[in-house]
Amino acid sequence: ANVGEMSDADSVGTGGSENCGDMLRMWVKFREEDGRKVIDKATFQSFGCQTAIAVASVATELIRGKTAQEA
């Protein structure tokens, strides 16, 4: 779930591992909630193994509603 680019993202990050060749790019969109800036939506693209793709998908679900620091 949550695969693909987000054209209106507030932030984009890229990370990877030289050891296994996996790469992940994640897009994040924030919203204001009770005076806090929280993650409204996150999407990703992953180039790597099935485990890396699954973890990225779960992460996009887990960080929703959290601040950047909490995430």
Side-chain angles (χ1 to χ4, degrees):
N2 301 317
V3 176
E5 294 183 30
M6 185 186 326
S7 61
D8 63 342
D10 294 316
S11 184
V12 179
T14 303
S17 170
E18 293 179 17
N19 293 334
C20 67
D22 290 348
M23 188 191 93
L24 171 73
R25 177 167 286 155
M26 187 174 286
W27 291 262
V28 178
K29 181 76 176 167
F30 291 94
R31 65 180 160 81
E32 288 290 325
E33 180 180 279
D34 300 325
R36 301 180 331 142
K37 189 175 176 182
V38 298
I39 297 168
D40 185 45
K41 183 177 181 184
T43 62
F44 75 96
Q45 285 183 337
S46 180
F47 305 98
C49 67
Q50 294 171 346
T51 302
I53 294 167
V55 169
S57 179
V58 170
T60 60
E61 295 294 325
L62 292 175
I63 65 175
R64 189 175 294 134
K66 294 181 171 29
T67 65
Q69 186 175 13
E70 291 168 341

